[in-house]
Amino acid sequence: ENIREIDRMEVRVRRNDWVKRKNQIYNSYLSMFRLAEDRITIMCSYFLPGTLFRRQMAAAVKRGVKVEVILAGISDINMAKHAERYLYDWMLKKGIGIYEYQPSILHAKVAAFDGKWATIGSYNVNNISAHASLELNLDIRDKKFVSLMEKELDHIMAAKCQQITLENYKMSTGFWRKIWQRT
């Protein structure tokens, strides 16, 4: 029975390939921000979105969409983590929920919205993955699959993450650390 259900899933292969000028995964994310009505959850290891991506995130929140990101609490690339944390102030002020995954280094690259659509693959939300790497994702439109994925992401946020709030972020980030993060 499970195999028959899988046969009915709608899946499309998406890729970013700077050599062939394909930016399909990036465009899938932008569509997600435009189409979402209720919620978006992103889990990503190196989260450094460009200006357009950030604008679309903020516009989704402004329309009433709950946007949450699960990011690495422990990183194997400390400089990237400091740069990512520089964006926390902006995200929190825009109403984007931030959760740092605590158990280990995070390398997940998934997103889901409204119980309708999910993407899984190699794409990190940053300009290198968007414009200078070869990346491959699967976009999956299947309510049962996406519902299970969103439940798992909710469980991860509740049980395995530390929520970052404006208050605890400001307490842990002094003037010099903010300068280092921006650098």
Side-chain angles (χ1 to χ4, degrees), residues 118-137:
T119 189
I120 302 170
S122 64
Y123 182 81
N124 281 299
V125 178
N126 60 45
N127 282 335
I128 294 171
S129 283
H131 305 293
S133 292
L134 302 175
E135 306 287 355
L136 185 72
N137 270 34

Side-chain angles (χ1 to χ4, degrees), residues 9-22:
M9 278 188 188
E10 185 178 325
V11 177
R12 69 178 175 179
V13 176
R14 304 292 277 170
R15 66 182 179 170
N16 276 17
D17 183 338
W18 66 275
V19 174
K20 295 184 179 178
R21 302 194 192 287
K22 292 205 179 274

Side-chain angles (χ1 to χ4, degrees), residues 1 3 14 28 57 69-70 83 119-120 127 143 178 182:
E1 183 177 64
I3 292 173
R14 304 292 277 170
S28 283
M57 286 175 64
V69 293
I70 303 168
T119 189
I120 302 170
N127 282 335
K143 288 182 181 183
K178 193 77 170 163
R182 181 174 181 164

Side-chain angles (χ1 to χ4, degrees), residues 8 11 33 41 58 68 77 83 104 115 120 126 132 145 168 170 176:
R8 286 179 275 196
V11 177
F33 287 118
T41 308
E68 297 174 307
I77 304 177
S104 62
I120 302 170
N126 60 45
F145 177 85
N168 66 19
K170 285 188 176 188
W176 294 111

Side-chain angles (χ1 to χ4, degrees), residues 143-159:
K143 288 182 181 183
K144 187 174 183 181
F145 177 85
V146 177
S147 176
L148 289 170
M149 185 175 172
E150 286 178 332
K151 284 179 187 170
E152 183 61 26
L153 291 170
D154 288 342
H155 168 73
I156 288 168
M157 284 187 285

Side-chain angles (χ1 to χ4, degrees), residues 18-93:
W18 66 275
V19 174
K20 295 184 179 178
R21 302 194 192 287
K22 292 205 179 274
N23 219 2
Q24 295 170 333
I25 302 168
Y26 182 77
N27 290 331
S28 283
Y29 271 87
L30 295 181
S31 293
M32 174 181 63
F33 287 118
R34 285 191 300 271
L35 297 172
E37 297 172 351
D38 183 45
R39 70 179 286 202
I40 298 169
T41 308
I42 299 170
M43 187 175 196
C44 178
S45 46
Y46 308 108
F47 188 80
L48 291 164
T51 306
L52 179 58
F53 198 100
R54 289 195 310 266
R55 269 192 234 137
Q56 293 296 321
M57 286 175 64
V61 171
K62 200 171 188 176
R63 285 193 332 270
V65 177
K66 182 178 183 179
V67 177
E68 297 174 307
V69 293
I70 303 168
L71 306 173
I74 304 164
S75 182
D76 55 345
I77 304 177
N78 283 330
M79 187 174 288
K81 187 65 202 170
H82 285 294
E84 180 180 274
R85 284 187 175 139
Y86 179 74
L87 295 177
Y88 282 15
D89 190 54
W90 177 86
M91 288 191 290
L92 291 166
K93 286 179 179 175

